[in-house]
Amino acid sequence: MLSAICVPLVDRGFSNHNNESIRSAYSAFALELLTSPHLISFLGSLDDLAAAININHLSAVITQVSASGKAEHLPSEHKLWLLAHFIAVHRLQGRNDQDPEFVRALSFQISSSSSDVLGRMAPKESDTLVRAVDEDEESSGNVAPSLHPFIREQLLSLVNQTSISGLLNKFNGDQTKGSISQEEDASLLSSYALTLLRIFPGRGDEIRMWLFQGSMTTSSGIQLPALKFFWQATSGTKIFSAIKEDSKAALNLLRPQTQSNALTPSQNARDYEWRTILLFLELYNFVLRFTDDEEFLSAGNITLGDQAISRFRESALPLKDIRSLTIFLKNLAFTAFYNASELLDDDQSVANDSPRVGSLGTYFGSTTTSIFQSQPQSSEATRQTFRPFAGIAGMNFPYVRTIVTGVMRMLYERDSRRRFLPKDHWLMTSRFDMEGFIPAVVAEEERLHEYHEEGDDGEEEDEVADEDESQFAYALIGMERSRRAQHIEQQKVKQQKAARARYMAQVGPRLEILQNMPFAIPFETRVNIFRQFVHLDQLRRRGGNTDPDIWRMSMVQNAMANHPGPGLRPPGREVLSRHHAKIRRDQVFDDAFEAFYQLGEGLKEPIQITFVDKFDTVEAGIDGGGVTKEFLTSITNEAFRADDGPNLFVTNDQNLLYPNPSSIDERREFMKTAGIKETSKDWKDTLKHTLQQYEFLGRVVGKCLYEGILIDVGFAGFFLLKWATAGASNSESGYRPNINDLRDFDEGLYQGLLQLKNYDGNVEDFALDFTIQDTYSFPGAPTTQTITRELIPNGANKAVSNENRPIYVSYVARHRLLVQPYHQTQAFLKGLSEIIKPSWLSMFNQTELQTLIRGDTSEINVEDLRNNTIYGGVYEIGDDGLEHPTVQLFWKVMEELDDSDRRKVLKYVTSTPRAPLSGFSQLNPRFSIRDAGGDEERLPSTSTCVNLLKLPRYSTASTLRHKLLYAVNSGAGFDLS
């Protein structure tokens, strides 16, 4: 049988007749035999067959039949067997090189079969790939069976360092010659690498790392790191130049092409350029995750010395190049979001067309450079149809937008952390009519709200949050759902997100910009938009009454008008009852949680607080907003700062807060020590209660933002980044942990990982593996406890080497910043999102969010404070419009104080040392001054709950200054005057 197969495949010369005979024989061999799942069982093995095959002839035939569309009639499983046998034959021939003809044929097949491979690898790959299952299967809820072990083995053999690194050797560094074959090979290899990244996302970091570690030789003989080589290629493309110069040029360049199989040279060049750009962005996205700020900013400052230069420092781009890149990225991203409705419609058309006609074969069909020239194609093969993006099967507009947004936001986050670009560099206000921008955005938000209210899509953000909650709740309490059930739920959420994305693109182009690249709009404008969003939400929820007292009165009136009958409490009074609580001064957090947790998003409505002492004696006070403010700030002080608080948050070296990553482990260990079984109801209820406390704290912070109440609480930057990215509509706008964020978490860990990353010896001497130790302790425990966890599957058996240490560093950062505190963070963000929509938070970066929470860090504007102060008692301004002499002295003293003392005075009166973002007109309640008698020996005192300064009638500025600063520095308040 083997002889019968091989005899027709023998090359007998290069005459046209023999050429055709061999072509026909290899074509039949490929399409009839290599597609059979029984080939190995017939032959016993492929060894002898592989020895008799001319792999170049076979590659050329596969390229030709793929380009002509002749392989499209084959069942998908047969094409997978053809691909697997083709890879196996090449491997059995012991060929380490990757000839362009082989890579060309391989690319055709992988591209054509990529949709049949996704989601069907080994179980460890399936978890990562499940999101990429074919859309038809998603809608039906079916999960494709795993690949045959032989097919899986051959596909996985493509993902190894030798194979991937060998690709780089095929890129000709001398691009100045500009031959068609050189450009074709470069484009081919780019598409091959991009396709591997698509079908092996679980191995993506390894693939990118192997490419990143490679080098290229330029025409002048200079060795360039791979990243710089691809940057030079990218920045030299016409696409890059066009979009960098004009953001409007991106629209046509992003549109899928409608054309025949025979592409024009300009279309070929465009595909080549896009592939080069996308491969560069894939690599740069990878590099930015591991590059610390010093390395990033070191380009042009490298000096050769005794210490070896790290690969990341070698690969750093000059700042002038980064500026050009960011202009290109923001112009491209702006179009991708602002014109998304047009581009998503086009992309949907691509998805609905046959992906086979628009596969890689359409690109290489007319340029095969083998002994087998392409045959004339049929009219069916040349019919007009939409092609995938850059001619790569499965490549679409959302992918392009995802990778562009990811790199752009990583550069922006770095610039916002340590500025290296000019002021206002990121703004794109020239693309809008800024005078009408805020009303237009508000109108888009209203249309989106109406869409949700109609029930067409539901509150998608809430459903996603519910999905997140269910995922970590099951993980915490030990319950499991079938993989199929999880898959169906995940696909349901994905479909809801896709539907919302399409609608958002249609009705909210400005909202798309604000959520995914908010830095394009000035910060002050975004703050005003945020306040308007909150105000409109209050109007909707409170029946048009935003004033708390008027709302309460309307609820009472409605209750009286709609009394349900004798013995029943009217609904309005029931609502008011649930929004009132009696709070003990020494148990603020516990009482608040008990009283208000069940309200959920109902905490948005006005609440009434009655403070009582330990004897249950009611404190005097009327809640005109002041007691509510004191209540909320008291909760945050107890929960975030008190030594005897609930220990839900911890601080870093800068005294900035983030969720205690060990809190869940601590409670688990405490219950084990107490003899509580993991399967018991008490176990589950305790963990659930802990997460509910995080959720409630999220609501409390959200309530402060909702009511415009400033709190003197600082959160760590990496934690705030999770807020800022929680509501982005694009997946790559989500939080991506990196080594620089570790600095906010643990300076010692950050420095240690830097030393490991840049160590010029053999890191295997440290005997590290892909595991990590989590430590925790709880009151009463004699020692700190340790849990060893794997960073990757089977991580205990994978040593950290010089080659894979960047990935190790990345996984440590991911574990510490994302995985370990995941449940706590998600619970907090869930509560926060119930009060403040995540899409509103996504309008701000981490620094801006901190300013929203704590207030403005700029110098205190005394004139603004003076213009927005309310006076009471004898200080009240009369008909003459003149201030009382003591009030005039107070403002004179405030003007003379330095900014640090002004802040102390402000904190003394309002409990926060910073002004609201939009000035003191936004302070809630307003800054107030009331007289406290004529005794000049008394100290000033305050009621921080209502931002009230009680100021005795001092007669001289020196006395007022002395008494004021004494009171401020001694902490005099209610009890010391």
Side-chain angles (χ1 to χ4, degrees):
M1 180 180 291
L2 181 64
S3 299
I5 294 173
C6 294
V7 168
L9 303 177
V10 176
D11 188 355
R12 294 181 176 82
F14 291 93
S15 68
N16 290 336
H17 176 72
N18 287 336
N19 221 13
E20 180 63 24
S21 297
I22 295 172
R23 186 193 67 78
S24 298
Y26 269 93
S27 179
F29 171 67
L31 298 178
E32 302 298 334
L33 289 178
L34 294 186
T35 57
S36 171
H38 309 296
L39 181 61
I40 295 179
S41 61
F42 285 153
L43 300 178
S45 75
L46 295 178
D47 295 53
D48 293 336
L49 180 66
I53 295 299
N54 184 317
I55 194 67
N56 289 329
H57 289 2
L58 180 60
S59 299
V61 162
I62 290 176
T63 298
Q64 190 272 325
V65 297
S66 299
S68 65
K70 292 180 180 179
E72 297 307 313
H73 71 281
L74 293 173
S76 60
E77 291 300 306
H78 286 198
K79 285 191 282 189
L80 287 173
W81 280 105
L82 171 61
L83 172 60
H85 287 140
F86 179 65
I87 297 170
V89 167
H90 184 267
R91 290 177 62 200
L92 289 171
Q93 289 189 353
R95 302 179 61 144
N96 294 324
D97 64 314
Q98 292 182 320
D99 185 83
E101 198 67 69
F102 167 75
V103 177
R104 183 180 292 108
L106 189 60
S107 294
F108 273 124
Q109 296 178 84
I110 290 180
S111 178
S112 177
S113 299
S114 59
S115 296
D116 300 314
V117 172
L118 291 170
R120 298 180 60 191
M121 299 298 289
K124 66 179 181 180
E125 289 284 339
S126 298
D127 292 337
T128 304
L129 296 172
V130 69
R131 65 181 181 274
V133 175
D134 185 77
E135 187 173 342
D136 292 335
E137 293 177 333
E138 290 177 357
S139 59
S140 64
N142 295 325
V143 182
S146 296
L147 292 173
H148 188 280
F150 177 79
I151 298 175
R152 185 168 63 246
E153 178 187 357
Q154 302 310 313
L155 289 173
L156 288 173
S157 72
L158 300 174
V159 187
N160 61 79
Q161 186 168 5
T162 301
S163 175
I164 300 301
S165 299
L167 290 175
L168 298 177
N169 297 327
K170 300 300 177 183
F171 280 89
N172 192 320
D174 187 4
Q175 296 296 316
T176 59
K177 296 179 180 179
S179 70
I180 295 176
S181 62
Q182 288 171 340
E183 290 186 359
E184 178 187 329
D185 285 346
S187 178
L188 167 70
L189 293 166
S190 294
S191 67
Y192 177 58
L194 289 168
T195 304
L196 286 182
L197 288 171
R198 178 174 178 261
I199 66 175
F200 295 109
R203 305 287 300 276
D205 277 349
E206 292 174 284
I207 295 171
R208 296 180 186 96
M209 182 179 66
W210 294 327
L211 289 171
F212 164 68
Q213 290 173 342
S215 298
M216 254 73 88
T217 304
T218 65
S219 58
S220 58
I222 298 175
Q223 284 276 324
L224 273 184
L227 181 73
K228 284 192 172 180
F229 174 85
F230 286 116
W231 163 244
Q232 288 187 0
T234 293
S235 59
T237 62
K238 294 179 180 178
I239 289 176
F240 183 91
S241 299
I243 294 176
K244 177 177 173 290
E245 295 302 321
D246 181 9
S247 63
K248 296 179 181 179
L251 184 58
N252 285 332
L253 290 169
L254 282 171
R255 291 189 190 279
Q257 296 297 294
T258 305
Q259 60 205 11
S260 64
N261 287 338
L263 302 186
T264 65
S266 63
Q267 290 169 330
N268 279 334
R270 172 170 158 171
D271 282 351
Y272 162 63
E273 290 190 350
W274 270 124
R275 292 170 189 174
T276 302
I277 292 169
L278 293 175
L279 187 56
F280 163 73
L281 292 177
E282 283 281 4
L283 283 180
Y284 201 42
N285 185 300
F286 171 83
V287 170
L288 287 173
R289 286 164 44 204
F290 307 108
T291 305
D292 67 89
D293 287 339
E294 296 302 328
E295 290 171 328
F296 179 81
L297 298 171
S298 67
N301 298 319
I302 298 176
T303 57
L304 296 176
D306 295 333
Q307 186 176 4
I309 300 170
S310 75
R311 188 62 165 176
F312 293 93
R313 194 175 291 270
E314 275 188 310
S315 300
L317 301 182
L319 291 183
K320 63 180 181 63
D321 289 351
I322 293 173
R323 182 179 182 184
S324 296
L325 175 60
T326 55
I327 294 173
F328 166 78
L329 290 173
K330 71 175 185 174
N331 286 349
L332 182 56
F334 183 93
T335 299
F337 287 110
Y338 193 73
N339 300 99
S341 60
E342 301 173 61
L343 295 169
L344 283 172
D345 287 343
D346 289 343
D347 188 64
Q348 185 67 26
S349 300
V350 173
N352 291 334
D353 281 310
S354 167
R356 310 307 182 199
V357 178
S359 67
L360 276 173
T362 63
Y363 179 78
F364 294 109
S366 61
T367 56
T368 304
T369 57
S370 67
I371 61 172
F372 306 121
Q373 297 301 315
S374 300
Q375 302 300 312
Q377 299 176 359
S378 66
S379 59
E380 175 64 21
T382 58
R383 64 184 174 87
Q384 295 260 321
T385 184
F386 283 105
R387 301 173 61 250
F389 196 89
I392 302 176
M395 191 74 73
N396 53 23
F397 165 69
Y399 161 78
V400 177
R401 186 170 68 175
T402 291
I403 188 65
V404 168
T405 305
V407 176
M408 176 186 66
R409 288 192 70 108
M410 291 175 82
L411 290 170
Y412 170 72
E413 288 166 9
R414 196 177 290 266
D415 184 48
S416 65
R417 181 174 61 245
R418 187 169 173 179
R419 186 164 297 282
F420 54 87
L421 291 170
K423 187 177 182 291
D424 298 336
H425 172 81
W426 295 96
L427 294 180
M428 297 192 70
T429 51
S430 62
R431 293 295 305 269
F432 297 108
D433 170 17
M434 292 308 296
E435 289 186 6
F437 184 77
I438 293 179
V441 169
V442 172
E444 290 179 3
E445 178 73 10
E446 285 294 280
R447 286 197 296 270
L448 191 62
H449 176 77
E450 292 170 2
Y451 173 64
H452 287 158
E453 286 292 297
E454 292 170 1
D456 293 335
D457 187 36
E459 290 291 343
E460 185 271 336
E461 289 173 325
D462 293 341
E463 291 174 2
V464 172
D466 291 342
E467 171 68 12
D468 288 337
E469 179 188 30
S470 66
Q471 291 288 348
F472 69 69
Y474 276 101
L476 279 175
I477 64 179
M479 299 175 63
E480 293 185 358
R481 297 172 294 170
S482 69
R483 185 182 301 276
R484 178 182 178 83
Q486 291 183 16
H487 173 74
I488 292 174
E489 289 186 20
Q490 289 168 353
Q491 302 318 317
K492 178 182 177 182
V493 171
K494 285 177 63 179
Q495 290 169 359
Q496 291 168 342
K497 290 179 70 175
R500 182 178 184 273
R502 286 193 292 271
Y503 187 79
M504 278 284 293
Q506 293 171 3
V507 305
R510 296 169 184 81
L511 288 175
E512 286 284 278
I513 296 297
L514 282 170
Q515 291 179 22
N516 293 284
M517 46 185 307
F519 39 79
I521 304 301
F523 174 54
E524 295 77 11
T525 303
R526 286 179 275 130
V527 171
N528 289 334
I529 291 170
F530 175 78
R531 292 298 177 205
Q532 290 220 27
F533 283 174
V534 169
H535 180 69
L536 287 172
D537 191 60
Q538 290 175 337
L539 287 174
R540 282 194 296 262
R541 296 184 62 88
R542 302 177 186 180
N545 301 311
T546 59
D547 182 87
D549 290 331
I550 296 177
W551 175 77
R552 293 187 187 102
M553 186 177 297
S554 69
M555 296 298 290
V556 172
Q557 291 173 346
N558 289 339
M560 295 174 62
N562 300 284
H563 200 287
L568 298 176
R569 172 174 283 190
R573 290 193 179 275
E574 178 66 27
V575 171
L576 291 178
S577 174
R578 288 189 288 111
H579 285 75
H580 175 267
K582 187 165 64 173
I583 303 296
R584 293 171 292 177
R585 281 285 183 184
D586 57 347
Q587 298 288 332
V588 175
F589 178 75
D590 290 339
D591 286 355
F593 178 83
E594 183 69 25
F596 293 132
Y597 175 78
Q598 298 302 326
L599 285 181
E601 69 171 13
L603 193 62
K604 288 182 177 183
E605 268 59 87
I607 55 177
Q608 275 189 307
I609 304 301
T610 301
F611 280 112
V612 297
D613 60 19
K614 60 183 178 181
F615 303 109
D616 202 36
T617 303
V618 175
E619 293 182 1
I622 300 174
D623 193 347
V627 178
T628 298
K629 177 209 167 189
E630 184 183 4
F631 166 68
L632 293 172
T633 55
S634 296
I635 294 176
T636 58
N637 287 335
E638 182 178 319
F640 292 128
R641 297 200 176 281
D643 293 335
D644 57 349
N647 195 33
L648 298 175
F649 278 70
V650 293
T651 59
N652 62 12
D653 295 337
Q654 291 79 44
N655 205 33
L656 299 174
L657 292 153
Y658 60 91
N660 180 1
S662 303
S663 59
I664 298 298
D665 286 331
E666 289 169 0
R667 281 150 179 79
R668 281 175 169 155
E669 186 63 27
F670 179 81
M671 288 188 288
K672 287 180 183 178
T673 305
I676 301 174
K677 295 182 179 179
E678 293 187 28
T679 55
S680 69
K681 184 176 184 297
D682 287 343
W683 180 282
K684 299 172 185 176
D685 287 347
T686 299
L687 295 181
K688 182 179 179 181
H689 178 74
T690 299
L691 294 179
Q692 287 175 339
Q693 288 181 310
Y694 278 105
E695 185 181 345
F696 181 67
L697 269 180
R699 290 181 197 159
V700 169
V701 174
K703 174 75 169 176
C704 293
L705 286 169
Y706 195 76
E707 302 292 352
I709 295 173
L710 300 179
I711 53 176
D712 191 19
V713 175
F715 293 104
F718 72 88
F719 180 52
L720 288 169
L721 269 175
K722 298 176 184 181
W723 302 21
T725 56
S729 62
N730 182 271
S731 62
E732 271 299 316
S733 298
Y735 176 65
R736 299 166 302 278
N738 63 75
I739 189 172
N740 293 286
D741 290 344
L742 278 175
R743 196 165 206 167
D744 277 343
F745 176 81
D746 185 332
E747 178 73 23
L749 176 62
Y750 167 76
Q751 294 295 342
L753 289 175
L754 276 188
Q755 292 176 17
L756 175 70
K757 185 166 73 78
N758 299 322
Y759 182 63
D760 57 3
N762 186 357
V763 300
E764 294 187 46
D765 295 339
F766 300 129
L768 296 171
D769 55 35
F770 278 76
T771 62
I772 195 167
Q773 290 188 330
D774 292 339
T775 60
Y776 61 92
S777 62
F778 59 91
T783 58
T784 298
Q785 306 294 313
T786 300
I787 300 177
T788 299
R789 293 187 165 109
E790 293 190 326
L791 296 171
I792 59 174
N794 200 32
N797 297 318
K798 187 176 181 65
V800 178
S801 65
N802 285 5
E803 289 72 28
N804 64 26
R805 58 182 164 178
I807 294 180
Y808 171 77
V809 170
S810 174
Y811 286 177
V812 169
R814 184 183 68 176
H815 181 83
R816 288 288 180 240
L817 299 172
L818 191 63
V819 176
Q820 190 183 8
Y822 176 77
H823 305 305
Q824 301 91 308
T825 302
Q826 288 301 111
F828 180 91
L829 291 179
K830 182 177 186 294
L832 180 63
S833 68
E834 290 172 347
I835 309 300
I836 303 293
K837 286 180 63 175
S839 57
W840 299 353
L841 293 174
S842 67
M843 294 191 298
F844 306 100
N845 66 26
Q846 69 271 35
T847 304
E848 293 166 345
L849 278 173
Q850 191 66 82
T851 306
L852 273 179
I853 297 164
R854 304 180 73 180
D856 195 351
T857 58
S858 60
E859 286 193 0
I860 300 298
N861 186 331
V862 176
E863 187 65 25
D864 181 45
L865 178 61
R866 187 173 190 171
N867 291 336
N868 290 283
T869 295
I870 299 173
Y871 302 99
V874 299
Y875 291 157
E876 188 170 349
I877 297 177
D879 296 336
D880 59 4
L882 299 178
E883 295 174 335
H884 188 278
T886 301
V887 170
Q888 295 179 29
L889 291 176
F890 172 78
W891 294 119
K892 180 177 184 294
V893 168
M894 285 292 289
E895 288 282 3
E896 294 171 349
L897 294 176
D898 59 32
D899 192 61
S900 62
D901 283 335
R902 291 176 188 172
R903 291 187 181 280
K904 289 178 182 179
V905 173
L906 187 62
K907 183 170 183 177
Y908 177 62
V909 179
T910 69
S911 74
T912 181
R914 283 164 290 275
L917 287 176
S918 301
F920 286 102
S921 64
Q922 301 300 309
L923 187 64
N924 183 22
R926 291 284 188 92
F927 191 91
S928 304
I929 303 177
R930 193 184 72 193
D931 75 285
D935 185 357
E936 296 194 40
E937 295 301 315
R938 289 171 58 90
L939 294 176
S941 60
T942 62
S943 293
T944 56
C945 59
V946 288
N947 297 335
L948 173 65
L949 173 64
K950 290 175 279 189
L951 186 68
R953 295 192 295 274
Y954 300 116
S955 58
T956 65
S958 59
T959 302
L960 190 151
R961 178 189 177 97
H962 172 72
K963 296 291 186 180
L964 180 63
L965 290 180
Y966 185 90
V968 166
N969 291 317
S970 65
F974 284 112
D975 58 342
L976 178 61
S977 61

